[in-house]
Amino acid sequence: MNRNSLIAEIKRKRTLLCVGLDTDINRIPSHLKASPDAVFEFNKQIIDATYDWCVAYKINTAFYESQGAKGWESLEKTVNYIPGTHFKIADAKRGDIGNTSDQYAKAFFETIPFDAVTVAPYMGSDSIKPFLNYPNKWAIVLGLTSNKGSEDFQQQHIGNHFLYEEVIRKTSQWGTPENLMFVVGATKAVELSSIRKIIPSHFLLIPGVGAQGGSLSEVCKYGLTEEGGLLINASRAVIYAGHDANFAKEAAKVAKQYQSEMQQYL
Ligand SMILES: O=c1ccn([C@@H]2O[C@H](COP(=O)(O)O)[C@@H](O)[C@H]2O)c(=O)[nH]1
């Protein structure tokens, strides 16, 4: 999906919501457990219940890889089930020497039709550039992550700046706002104002509202642009809103609440 189509969907639906399909086999309601592919069945019902309220889905590959070949099968079926109107993110945090990153890009952009994959910047330009060679596909670079461990490296000073600021500044030169986004945690909302000085128009993927306690209003206050410019992810808060046969209805309720709040800011 290209940038204009993503912006058009955000404006049309008045939402920035990205639903995270972090589907943990141990948290699937018991009535689905007998299904031949319980993970896919769960995802299918969550997608059917939430697609009106979001513009993107993020699949964290860890929840599928942990189940071996069967998990990968559920992942592929899920990606193919997501409507073409929605932006599809593989949260896989990849990145390696160039010829290996070529294979990662092929895996997530050709073999499985994701629009974007999250990448770790630590190995530098040759590890990220292979993801930028595909028209209408995106690399989403880890900028300032939502977890406490972001203090260990990302928030260390180098000269007058933080390491994450240097990473964002330098990495933004390897691509364009048409093929590069950055991850910034909702738990780091205030830092968004200095990040916006470095990258005023790039899209940001913002995880950390909901279960991690990040503030949606603060994220919008400091990060929103004229075009939206944010994909705000909630995983557990949406998909595990309910625990029984009504789980999809409960997920829809929470997704709709996020959309209602987001439309006030858009
Ligand atoms: O900085 C980061 C980068 C990625 N994530 C991922 O986003 C979701 C958040 O899930 P919640 O249940 O909404 O907390 C999950 O897949 C993380 O691995 C992140 O949280 N922070």
Side-chain angles (χ1 to χ4, degrees):
M1 180 182 287
N2 67 28
R3 181 179 161 95
N4 284 345
S5 305
L6 180 58
I7 293 167
E9 279 303 289
I10 288 172
K11 297 215 157 136
R12 186 175 74 80
K13 296 170 88 177
R14 303 186 69 200
T15 181
L16 303 160
L17 182 63
C18 171
V19 171
L21 297 169
D22 293 7
T23 307
D24 179 344
I25 190 84
N26 299 313
R27 295 191 69 176
I28 288 180
S30 48
H31 73 284
L32 292 182
K33 292 261 169 78
S35 157
D37 187 342
V39 168
F40 175 62
E41 189 52 41
F42 178 85
N43 288 348
K44 189 166 164 296
Q45 293 193 36
I46 292 282
I47 293 164
D48 288 345
T50 58
Y51 70 84
D52 277 341
W53 315 115
C54 66
V55 285
Y57 289 95
K58 180 171 84 61
I59 293 182
N60 191 314
T61 58
F63 290 84
Y64 302 82
E65 290 173 272
S66 64
Q67 301 306 305
K70 191 162 167 38
W72 206 250
E73 201 181 300
S74 309
L75 179 151
E76 288 205 54
K77 278 155 73 179
T78 301
V79 176
N80 288 316
Y81 188 75
I82 296 171
T85 44
H86 289 63
F87 194 75
K88 297 176 255 308
I89 301 169
D91 191 356
K93 302 180 181 72
R94 300 299 152 102
D96 205 320
I97 60 170
N99 68 316
T100 306
S101 274
D102 282 341
Q103 296 301 316
Y104 280 139
K106 188 166 190 252
F108 291 107
F109 293 156
E110 290 184 43
T111 309
I112 309 180
F114 280 106
D115 293 298
V117 58
T118 56
V119 295
Y122 195 70
M123 288 183 73
S125 61
D126 53 330
S127 72
I128 289 179
K129 283 182 177 163
F131 297 96
L132 302 173
N133 291 332
Y134 286 79
N136 302 329
K137 303 279 185 183
W138 303 70
I140 309 182
V141 176
L142 299 178
L144 177 58
T145 57
S146 64
N147 58 327
K148 177 144 183 22
S150 66
E151 290 166 9
D152 295 338
F153 299 116
Q154 298 162 32
Q155 295 187 79
Q156 293 299 307
H157 276 102
I158 48 165
N160 293 328
H161 300 288
F162 291 111
L163 177 58
Y164 72 84
E165 293 177 313
E166 282 308 311
V167 165
I168 292 172
R169 197 186 322 279
K170 184 139 189 143
T171 313
S172 65
Q173 292 159 11
W174 301 336
T176 71
E178 306 280 334
N179 64 5
L180 203 55
M181 300 187 187
F182 292 88
V183 172
V184 179
T187 52
K188 310 287 173 10
V190 173
E191 286 82 345
L192 278 166
S193 55
S194 62
I195 290 172
R196 274 294 179 221
K197 291 194 179 117
I198 308 169
I199 41 167
S201 63
H202 282 74
F203 263 88
L204 305 177
L205 171 63
I206 312 273
V209 300
Q212 296 178 54
S215 154
L216 178 55
S217 64
E218 295 246 299
V219 163
C220 290
K221 178 174 171 191
Y222 296 112
L224 203 65
T225 67
E226 289 272 291
E227 294 164 321
L230 303 172
L231 293 174
I232 302 179
N233 181 83
S235 304
R236 287 167 291 180
V238 173
I239 69 174
Y240 304 128
H243 308 284
D244 52 22
N246 277 337
F247 75 96
K249 268 194 189 150
E250 296 299 322
K253 228 188 263 173
V254 175
K256 188 171 188 292
Q257 279 162 9
Y258 277 123
Q259 186 275 334
S260 306
E261 188 175 346
M262 287 168 181
Q263 77 175 356
Q264 296 171 34
Y265 306 122
L266 282 166

